[in-house]
């Protein structure tokens, strides 16, 4: 049975006033009194929250000539109505400009760059962030720089990777159009700040927080650089900036909280906090000397918002220790790996839908959900890392497509009382492939294939949801990097087609007994972590749990470096939105840059590589996508799956592309900046293509 809860949507002022009165009774530290006096003429938090809850829905910018949201439109469909570039002429695309951000790794940032950025296009400008959060505006037609603002993030703030996927834009409906920061760019940073700058000039917005910056460490606890960072663009709904943060995986049970917070997009004041373990107690922030509940599931990826409903949809991760769960609280178990709908005007939960019960596989939700109409019902489409695709009622969370129940699942010997013996799965569509068999083991020669067969026999593997083990490794399939990850899916709402790229690789894992763990959690390390040089979960300490974890991501042969399972390792699929049936499915990525011992084979064959970064679909009938480790940017016919055009990027294209229009000319763009985890070359290029001008 899927857990599904509905909470009344309306929060009365009567619930807010007592909480604020309680705050007023709290002794005010001397140091804070001067600040309080200085701001006594500003609205109280009660007044701010009340005003925010009464804000009307605003009209949303439309995708087309612009690309105003990270997901294209406000619904995150990644569908563009532009149709100038079509299957018949896409082969004529020519490069229009290349812009260099100039942000390249230096010093301790070497080996940690994974920018993943997708620019916005607003009016005549492209707005983007670099790996280290430098905000940049360039002319969308020429690539000439308009302005840049460097918030000064230092290398020690890099968590697992230096990533800034994008920014958000908000227009104050009450500000004169030509007022400074009437339209502002808002960015979350690796050192846990919200930064707001003027869209036109890049100057900090003086009215937002402390001269354009809000400190997200407030209420989190001791500052440990790299442990708490923002890597995804915020969702903005009803004038509230909603953000979570990445909490570096696998460090300790006593990790920073996964609290979700909403801030006034104009003033930067805290509007509400959703601490899943103390939602009422910490609604207005923790009491003096307290912090948000530590170790709770976080949201490191991107939310989507329904402005009309005033709801925001949060793809949640799991608890701070991914691979051991017996010490988790009931609240953690309730919300981990769930899509949570909050009323963004109050921060109260509306519903949640859990995709994995008692997750000990790091199957956190990485994809941004997509809003759409499904058979006449406002819906939200949710892809998951284990490959399942769900469609839920946007208002209630009730499934609109069939959800089945796996039962009698293996429970293992580590924590059999904790492992759930049932799990939900989508009966409508899944990207997940059949279970592995020994014959699926693979290698370039009979010798390394035999070695992988031996590894298969040495591991615990009982299909999907094989529980973690310590006596010997266990095979996790699919691995934590997919199904569907942060690149999310694109939906051609006119043709009724979902386009989903995916990974199809297992992980080869082992729980490491505490007395064998040699690594230290990030808060006990003397210098910045070198975790960027290895995969997530590789020798993570999981302090506080009886086991550390060692993950062989992609289950690669230790000698040759190639996967132990046969290709393809990633693909792209078109799915009929009406029926859930596969229209076409093909490998994504050639072998040109992959080979044994890290030597590029230069073979043009479509073997299907791991891929990170999503696609854009257009009214012209094309799918544009990079993502794969072959450094190709390609255009695919959405009707047939055939690649119609491709070009070699100067670095890895692990980012979502966009398309836009300037003066009647359609452009398509992707950033080529590489990715340390995907082992693609690092760069700083932003590249745009268009058809030749007539």
């Amino acid at each position: 049975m899927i857990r599904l809860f509905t909470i009344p949507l309306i929060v009365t002022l009567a619930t807010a006033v007592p909480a604020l009165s309680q705050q007023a009774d709290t002794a005010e530290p001397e140091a804070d009194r001067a600040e309080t006096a200085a701001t006594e003429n500003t609205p109280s938090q009660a007044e701010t929250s009340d005003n925010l809850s009464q804000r009307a829905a605003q009209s949303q910018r439309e995708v087309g000539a612009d690309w105003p949201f990270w997901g294209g439109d406000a619904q995150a469909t990644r569908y563009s109505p532009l149709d100038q570039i079509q299957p018949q002429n896409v082969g004529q695309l020519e490069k229009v400009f290349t812009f260099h951000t100039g942000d390249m790794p230096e010093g301790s940032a070497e080996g940690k760059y994974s920018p993943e950025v997708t620019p916005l296009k607003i009016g005549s400008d492209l707005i983007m962030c670099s790996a280290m959060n430098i905000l940049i505006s360039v002319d969308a037609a020429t690539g000439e720089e308009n302005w840049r603002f460097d918030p000064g993030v230092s290398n020690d703030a890099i968590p697992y990777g230096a990533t800034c996927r994008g920014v958000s834009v908000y227009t104050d409906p009450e500000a004169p159009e030509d007022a400074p920061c009437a339209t502002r760019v808002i960015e979350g940073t690796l050192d846990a700040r919200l930064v707001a700058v003027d869209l036109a000039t890049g100057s900090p917005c003086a009215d937002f927080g402390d001269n354009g910056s809000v400190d997200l460490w407030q209420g989190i606890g001791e500052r440990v650089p790299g442990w708490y960072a923002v890597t995804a663009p915020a969702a903005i709904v009803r004038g509230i900036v909603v953000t979570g943060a990445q909490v570096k995986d696998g460090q300790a049970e006593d990790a920073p909280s996964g609290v979700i917070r909403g801030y006034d997009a104009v003033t930067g004041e805290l509007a509400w906090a959703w601490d899943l373990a103390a939602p009422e107690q910490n609604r207005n922030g923790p009491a003096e000397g307290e912090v948000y509940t530590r170790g709770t599931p976080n949201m490191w990826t991107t939310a989507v918002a329904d402005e009309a409903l005033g709801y925001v949809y949060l793809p949640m991760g799991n608890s701070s220790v991914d691979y051991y769960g017996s010490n988790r609280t009931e609240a953690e178990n309730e919300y981990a790996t769930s899509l949570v709908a909050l009323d963004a005007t109050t921060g109260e939960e509306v519903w949640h839908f859990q995709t994995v019960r008692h997750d000990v596989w790091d199957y956190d939700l990485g994809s941004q959900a997509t809003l759409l109409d499904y058979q006449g019902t406002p819906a939200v489409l949710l892809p998951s890392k284990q490959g399942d695709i769900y469609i839920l009622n946007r208002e209630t969370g009730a499934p609109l497509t069939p959800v089945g129940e796996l039962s009698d699942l293996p429970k293992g010997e580590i924590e059999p009382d904790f492992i759930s013996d049932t799990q939900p799965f989508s009966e409508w569509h899944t990207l997940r492939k059949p279970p592995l068999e020994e014959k699926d083991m693979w290698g370039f020669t009979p010798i390394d294939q035999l070695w992988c067969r031996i590894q298969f026999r040495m591991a615990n593997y009982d299909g999907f949801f094989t529980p973690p083990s310590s006596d010997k490794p266990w095979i996790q399939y699919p691995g934590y990097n997919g199904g569907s990850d942060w690149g999310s899916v694109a939906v051609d709402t006119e043709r009724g087609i979902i386009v989903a790229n995916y990974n199809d690789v297992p992980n080869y894992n082992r729980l490491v007994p505490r007395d064998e763990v040699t690594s230290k959690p990030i808060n006990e390390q003397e210098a910045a972590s070198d975790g960027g040089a290895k995969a997530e979960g590789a020798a993570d300490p999981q302090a506080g749990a009886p086991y550390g974890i060692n993950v062989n991501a992609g289950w690669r042969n230790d000698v040759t470096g190639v996967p132990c399972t046969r290709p393809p390792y990633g693909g792209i699929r078109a799915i009929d939105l009406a029926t859930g049936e596969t229209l076409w499915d093909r490998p994504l990525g050639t072998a040109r840059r992959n080979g044994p011992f890290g030597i590029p084979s230069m073979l043009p064959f479509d073997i299907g590589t791991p891929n990170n970064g999503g696609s854009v679909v257009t009214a012209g009938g094309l799918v544009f996508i990079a993502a794969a480790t072959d450094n190709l940017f390609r255009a695919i016919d959405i009707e047939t799956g055939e690649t119609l055009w491709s070009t070699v990027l100067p670095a890895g294209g692990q980012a979502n592309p966009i398309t836009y229009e300037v003066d009647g000319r359609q452009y398509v763009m992707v950033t080529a900046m590489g990715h340390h985890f995907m082992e693609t070359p690092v760069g700083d290029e932003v590249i745009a293509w268009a058809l030749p001008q007539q």
Side-chain angles (χ1 to χ4, degrees):
M1 179 69 73
I2 297 299
R3 293 174 179 166
L4 189 63
F5 295 84
T6 301
I7 289 180
L9 309 183
I10 300 174
V11 177
T12 64
L13 191 59
T15 60
V17 169
L20 290 160
S21 299
Q22 188 177 11
Q23 277 200 334
D25 292 337
T26 303
E28 188 178 25
E30 287 288 335
D32 292 340
R33 288 178 184 161
E35 182 179 349
T36 301
T39 59
E40 62 184 358
N41 293 325
T42 62
S44 69
Q45 187 163 313
E47 293 169 329
T48 300
S49 299
D50 190 30
N51 292 337
L52 293 174
S53 68
Q54 297 176 23
R55 276 186 182 171
Q58 293 180 230
S59 60
Q60 298 291 285
R61 296 176 186 271
E62 294 187 0
V63 68
D66 285 354
W67 189 271
F69 296 87
W70 186 71
D73 54 16
Q75 292 74 37
T77 63
R78 297 172 182 78
Y79 170 75
S80 169
L82 299 180
D83 61 0
Q84 189 176 87
I85 305 172
Q86 300 181 349
Q88 295 78 14
N89 60 23
V90 68
Q92 302 171 34
L93 284 178
E94 61 180 22
K95 187 183 297 183
V96 179
F97 66 80
T98 298
F99 173 77
H100 293 267
T101 68
D103 186 352
M104 294 290 284
E106 296 180 352
S108 60
E110 293 283 353
K112 294 184 175 181
Y113 260 41
S114 47
E116 303 177 1
V117 62
T118 297
L120 304 184
K121 192 268 184 176
I122 309 286
S124 60
D125 302 329
L126 294 165
I127 313 296
M128 66 195 78
C129 54
S130 72
M132 295 299 287
N133 297 124
I134 300 171
L135 289 167
I136 305 170
S137 169
V138 304
D139 186 291
T142 67
E144 294 178 2
E145 183 171 319
N146 297 317
W147 55 256
R148 67 172 53 207
F149 173 79
D150 187 350
V153 175
S154 61
N155 283 354
D156 65 356
I158 299 174
Y160 173 65
T163 297
C164 179
R165 295 190 189 90
V167 300
S168 308
V169 167
Y170 177 72
T171 298
D172 181 357
E174 299 179 2
E177 187 175 347
D178 57 351
C181 286
T183 297
R184 56 193 58 200
V185 181
I186 296 177
E187 171 195 48
T189 64
L190 295 173
D191 57 1
R193 286 178 285 159
L194 280 180
V195 174
V197 302
D198 185 85
L199 174 69
T201 66
S203 298
C205 297
D207 56 350
F208 186 84
D210 181 8
N211 194 31
S213 180
V214 171
D215 184 6
L216 295 176
W217 277 101
Q218 293 293 320
I220 296 300
E222 179 189 6
R223 290 176 188 264
V224 179
W227 206 354
Y228 189 80
V230 182
T231 57
I236 303 178
V237 54
R238 300 284 183 98
I240 306 292
V241 180
V242 181
T243 185
Q246 178 189 98
V247 178
K248 189 173 182 183
D249 274 355
Q251 301 302 298
E253 287 188 336
D254 185 33
S257 175
V259 61
I260 308 296
R261 285 174 283 185
Y263 294 87
D264 188 319
V266 176
T267 67
E269 289 186 50
L270 178 69
W272 49 258
W274 183 65
D275 180 341
L276 62 86
E280 299 302 327
Q281 177 185 342
N282 288 336
R283 178 84 61 210
N284 299 314
E288 183 70 26
E290 302 292 329
V291 298
Y292 295 107
T293 309
R294 296 183 68 82
T296 51
N298 64 312
M299 181 188 73
W300 56 268
T301 189
T302 310
V304 66
D306 184 325
E307 180 76 9
L309 280 175
Y311 293 173
V312 60
Y313 303 91
L314 315 170
M316 298 297 294
N318 43 26
S319 300
S320 57
V321 167
D322 294 317
Y323 298 94
Y324 185 83
S326 291
N327 293 345
R328 295 176 188 165
T329 66
E330 284 305 309
E332 291 175 64
N333 292 333
E334 192 71 47
Y335 293 99
T337 324
S338 295
L339 185 71
V340 178
L342 296 186
D343 184 329
T345 65
T346 65
E348 291 224 333
E349 180 196 348
V350 183
W351 54 260
H352 71 274
F353 175 87
Q354 191 167 51
T355 60
V356 181
R357 301 188 184 109
H358 290 198
D359 182 2
V360 287
W361 299 272
D362 198 12
Y363 280 147
D364 49 359
L365 291 173
S367 297
Q368 182 185 35
T370 295
L371 307 183
L372 45 76
D373 287 331
Y374 181 71
Q375 299 179 352
T377 300
V380 55
L381 182 148
L382 174 66
S384 72
K385 279 189 174 180
Q386 62 269 36
D388 289 314
I389 296 176
Y390 301 96
I391 299 180
L392 311 172
N393 184 303
R394 204 184 303 174
E395 295 188 52
T396 68
L400 299 175
T401 51
V403 178
E405 189 82 7
L406 296 172
S407 59
D408 299 324
L409 294 171
K411 307 190 76 169
E413 298 180 356
I414 296 293
E415 43 181 352
D417 293 336
F418 178 78
I419 301 295
S420 177
D421 59 3
T422 64
Q423 294 287 359
F425 72 100
S426 174
E427 293 181 328
W428 184 73
H429 192 91
T430 185
L431 301 167
R432 187 172 56 252
K433 300 295 180 67
L436 293 174
E437 299 180 29
E438 185 178 330
K439 65 182 180 182
D440 294 323
M441 301 304 104
W442 188 79
F444 271 90
T445 68
I447 294 175
D448 54 319
Q449 182 181 125
L450 175 63
W451 187 89
C452 289
R453 282 179 176 256
I454 293 172
Q455 296 293 303
F456 182 87
R457 291 193 177 190
M458 291 176 60
N460 289 317
Y461 182 58
D462 198 7
F464 192 34
F465 289 122
T466 298
S469 56
S470 181
D471 59 328
K472 53 185 177 180
W474 90 92
I475 297 169
Q476 176 190 353
Y477 181 65
Y480 63 34
N481 198 32
S484 183
D485 206 343
W486 57 266
S488 314
V489 302
V491 182
D492 184 331
T493 51
E494 295 299 316
R495 293 179 176 84
I497 298 175
I498 301 168
V499 175
N501 57 299
Y502 58 92
N503 289 302
D504 187 32
V505 290
N507 287 354
Y508 198 76
N509 308 334
R510 177 177 173 255
L511 287 173
V512 182
R514 178 57 50 202
D515 60 2
E516 297 179 21
V517 175
T518 58
S519 57
K520 293 182 178 179
I522 189 171
N523 58 321
E524 297 180 10
Q525 296 171 7
E526 295 182 357
S529 168
D530 62 352
K534 59 191 180 188
E536 280 190 304
D540 279 350
Q542 300 198 138
Y547 299 91
I549 180 65
N550 195 20
V551 173
N552 179 344
W555 187 7
R556 294 162 62 153
N557 186 311
D558 293 336
V559 178
T560 64
V562 300
C564 259
T565 53
R566 63 186 175 188
Y569 306 117
I572 185 167
R573 184 180 298 181
I575 303 160
D576 188 323
L577 180 59
T579 65
E581 296 178 355
T582 297
L583 299 174
W584 51 260
D585 185 12
R586 48 158 289 185
L588 178 65
T590 66
R592 62 181 296 276
R593 278 203 69 260
N594 300 99
F597 312 106
I599 302 171
S601 72
M602 301 309 295
L603 296 173
F605 308 129
D606 277 330
I607 62 166
T609 74
N611 55 90
N612 268 342
S615 63
V616 54
V617 295
T618 72
L622 294 168
V623 180
F624 289 97
I625 187 167
T629 58
D630 59 5
N631 297 350
L632 295 182
F633 183 44
R634 46 178 56 83
I636 297 171
D637 189 325
I638 197 170
E639 300 286 355
T640 66
E642 179 186 1
T643 297
L644 302 176
W645 169 85
S646 67
T647 187
V648 178
L649 300 173
Q654 279 69 56
N656 289 15
I658 67 172
T659 186
Y660 60 89
E661 181 182 293
V662 180
D663 296 331
R665 191 182 193 192
Q666 182 182 355
Y667 294 71
V668 59
M669 163 176 285
V670 73
T671 57
M673 300 182 178
H675 201 287
H676 66 92
F677 177 68
M678 304 297 285
E679 301 177 5
T680 54
V682 173
D684 68 344
E685 288 89 349
V686 181
I687 309 171
W689 296 261
L691 296 174
Q693 289 183 305
Q694 301 299 314

